[in-house]
Amino acid sequence: MTDDETSNSPATSRRSLLAVGGAGLALGAAAAGGAVALARSGEGSDMRPAGGAGGAVPFHGAHQAGIATAVQDRLHFAAFDVKTTDREEFVRLLKDWTKAAARMTEGRAVGEGAYGGLVEAPPDDTGEALGLQPSRLTLTIGFGPSLFEKHGKALGIADKRPDALVDLPKFPGENLERTRSGGDLCVQACADDPQVAVHAIRNLARIGMGKVAIRWSQLGFGKTSSTTPDAQTPRNLMGFKDGTRNIAGTEKGRLDKHVWVDAADAGWMKGGSYLVARRIRMNIETWDRTSLQEQEDVFGRDKGEGAPVGRAKERDEPFLKAMKPDAHVRLAHPDTNQGATLLRRGYSFTDGTDGLGRLDAGLFFLAYQKDVRKGFIPVQRSLATDALNEYIQHVGSAVFAVPPGVRDGSDWWGRGLFEQKQKEA
C-alpha cells in the first residue's frame, strides 16, 4: 500500500460507467476485441477482485510485477527521454510514479482523481479508466544505458551503471529506426484491457511532463508467449505457436538461474533483471504466399500441433539434428547457445500500412534475462543464418536494466540506485 491510500480518494466514489473496448486512446488493432468494463456503483466500493479476469496483481514484492507474472492480453510500452538535470527533481518523479503506479494497479485513481477537485486546475487523473477493473495491470520500469551516459554525472549515478547493461551490437540484417529505438527509461504496462494499459502510460507521461518525454511507444495485442505452464501456447502472426519452452512464472529454479540478477552484479540490481525490446517487422504478404512445407521447415515445427520435426506432441523434446540447419527452433535452442535461456513475453502488433499496401505488422519482442551478454546477444548472433530472416526484419531496439521490486509503501522505483550515493557519503 502507498502512504496516501488511507486518504480520501475519489477512486472510491467514481460514477458507474460502462465502457466498451476500442474507446478513447486504445486505437487500432491493439484495441481489437476491446474489453467491457463492469459497472461500478456506491460510495466506498472496492474494485480489487482477488484474482481472475479483472483482478489486481500485487504491486509490491521482491521482484517487479510484469516479468514472471502470468502474461496479460494487452500491452502499452513506452520509452522516455529524461529532460531534467536536477537529481532531486528526478528522484521526486520516481517517487511520484511509484505512488501512482501502485494506485493504478489496484484500480484506483491517481491523486485526487479525475473530477471533484478544483475546477480551475487540471485533474490528477485523466479519467478514461473510471469504472474499469484493474484488469491485472502491471507496470514495470527499466533504466537504459543512455541514462548513465548522458545524465549520469548530473544525477550522481555515472559510476553506477551495471557491467551487464551493455549497448547491443549491430546484428546482421537489422534496419533500426532511431525513432523506435533507445530510451533513458521505459515503462511496460500490461493488462487484460487495452484502455487500462493506455491510461497507465498516459498518466505517468502527464506526471512526468517537463522532466521526461515519451521517445517512442508501442501498443501490443495477442500475447506471443506464456509464463503459465498449463495455458495453451499462443500463436504469433505467422500462425505458429510461440514460446513452447518459455520459462514459467512458477519455475523458481529456472527464474533464479536465467532471469533474476544475483549479488555478482551491481548491488542495486540484485533481484532485478535485464530487458531487451525489439520491434520485429514481419513480411506478412510474402509469408502468406509461402508453402506450408517451407513454413514448417523455417520454424522446425509443424503448424497444427506445434510438434518439433520428427515428434508427435508440442512439448516433446526437440531432436535438433532432424531439423534443417537454418531452422529457427534449432538455432534459438539453448543447446545451440551454451544454455542461453530467455523469459519471453512479447506481443503481436499491427500499426496500419507502410503506404505500399502492406501491413506494418509483426512481433514486439520482450525478453528478460540475468545478463544480456550471456542471453540475448549470443542467441541473436546464432540467428544470423536463420531461415526466418527472409520474412522478418528488426526495425526497433532497446535494452534496459530493470531494478528489483518495490518492497512496501515507503519504497520506490530505483531507490537502491539513487540512495547509494547518500549512504556512501
Side-chain angles (χ1 to χ4, degrees):
M1 299 288 286
T2 55
D3 55 6
D4 67 340
E5 286 184 353
T6 56
S7 64
N8 182 22
S9 170
T12 60
S13 61
R14 289 181 278 181
R15 294 169 293 179
S16 299
L17 179 68
L18 183 67
V20 294
L25 291 179
L27 300 176
V36 180
L38 299 180
R40 178 184 177 184
S41 61
E43 294 294 319
S45 56
D46 194 340
M47 282 292 292
R48 292 176 290 167
V57 175
F59 178 75
H60 298 107
H63 311 292
Q64 287 196 65
I67 302 176
T69 307
V71 184
Q72 303 93 321
D73 292 333
R74 307 287 178 152
L75 166 81
H76 191 190
F77 188 96
F80 294 81
D81 286 334
V82 172
K83 299 300 183 182
T84 183
T85 58
D86 186 312
R87 175 188 170 92
E88 290 187 7
E89 185 177 51
F90 186 69
V91 167
R92 170 48 57 189
L93 171 65
L94 293 176
K95 292 179 178 179
D96 290 344
W97 267 12
T98 304
K99 186 179 295 186
R103 294 183 68 87
M104 289 189 288
T105 57
E106 291 188 332
R108 300 176 185 271
V110 175
E112 295 186 358
Y115 65 93
L118 292 173
V119 296
E120 296 84 5
D124 287 343
D125 189 282
T126 53
E128 73 276 22
L130 283 170
L132 301 183
Q133 295 190 43
S135 299
R136 296 196 301 130
L137 172 68
T138 56
L139 292 166
T140 314
I141 196 171
F143 302 125
S146 57
L147 180 69
F148 299 86
E149 294 169 357
K150 297 188 301 181
H151 308 286
K153 185 175 181 180
L155 298 179
I157 58 171
D159 60 343
K160 303 302 181 186
R161 177 176 173 174
D163 292 340
L165 184 59
V166 297
D167 294 302
L168 296 179
K170 171 94 175 156
F171 295 107
E174 66 182 11
N175 184 23
L176 302 183
E177 302 171 18
R178 183 179 177 276
T179 55
R180 295 185 185 273
S181 299
D184 299 330
L185 302 171
C186 76
V187 178
Q188 171 195 282
C190 298
D192 289 329
D193 184 332
Q195 188 144 317
V196 170
V198 170
H199 167 262
I201 294 295
R202 180 181 174 189
N203 269 286
L204 295 181
R206 178 190 56 77
I207 294 168
M209 189 167 294
K211 298 175 279 291
V212 296
I214 291 182
R215 178 181 178 88
W216 57 270
S217 70
Q218 181 67 57
L219 291 169
F221 69 96
K223 60 188 178 186
T224 59
S225 295
S226 173
T227 55
T228 308
D230 55 351
Q232 178 177 322
T233 305
R235 294 179 184 267
N236 57 36
L237 290 184
M238 290 179 162
F240 278 76
K241 291 184 177 181
D242 206 338
T244 294
R245 303 177 66 83
N246 198 31
I247 300 173
T250 55
E251 294 182 294
K252 185 181 183 301
R254 293 183 77 197
L255 288 169
D256 289 342
K257 182 178 181 180
H258 299 294
V259 179
W260 306 131
V261 173
D262 54 34
D265 200 356
W268 66 271
M269 274 294 293
K270 183 179 179 182
S273 191
Y274 291 93
L275 169 64
V276 172
R278 304 279 283 187
R279 189 177 192 271
I280 305 174
R281 171 85 182 271
M282 293 178 177
N283 302 321
I284 295 292
E285 292 76 17
T286 303
W287 178 259
D288 290 345
R289 294 194 300 271
T290 300
S291 71
L292 175 60
Q293 184 62 63
E294 182 172 344
Q295 290 183 0
E296 293 184 335
D297 286 344
V298 165
F299 275 98
R301 290 183 179 273
D302 73 65
K303 197 168 188 177
E305 167 62 26
V309 171
R311 305 300 192 194
K313 298 296 182 182
E314 174 195 347
R315 301 186 186 279
D316 288 348
E317 187 69 27
F319 180 49
L320 299 182
K321 291 183 178 179
M323 303 175 187
K324 292 196 170 183
D326 57 359
H328 179 75
V329 169
R330 180 170 181 172
L331 293 175
H333 196 277
D335 288 353
T336 307
N337 297 285
Q338 297 183 321
T341 303
L342 312 174
L343 187 157
R344 292 182 289 147
R345 48 181 302 132
Y347 288 82
S348 295
F349 70 84
T350 58
D351 291 334
T353 67
D354 63 357
L356 299 173
R358 298 173 301 195
L359 284 174
D360 181 5
L363 168 67
F364 190 64
F365 175 89
L366 295 167
Y368 289 88
Q369 62 242 270
K370 179 176 288 190
D371 190 329
V372 174
R373 298 165 298 180
K374 299 177 182 178
F376 177 79
I377 290 176
V379 173
Q380 189 60 30
R381 282 175 170 158
S382 178
L383 293 173
T385 58
D386 189 356
L388 189 59
N389 291 338
E390 181 180 347
Y391 304 98
I392 64 171
Q393 186 171 58
H394 292 235
V395 296
S397 178
V399 59
F400 300 96
V402 178
V406 177
R407 295 281 183 166
D408 52 41
S410 64
D411 198 3
W412 42 275
W413 276 335
R415 180 178 181 179
L417 170 61
F418 286 92
E419 286 205 333
Q420 276 190 19
K421 183 179 180 64
Q422 297 172 358
K423 290 177 180 177
E424 292 168 1

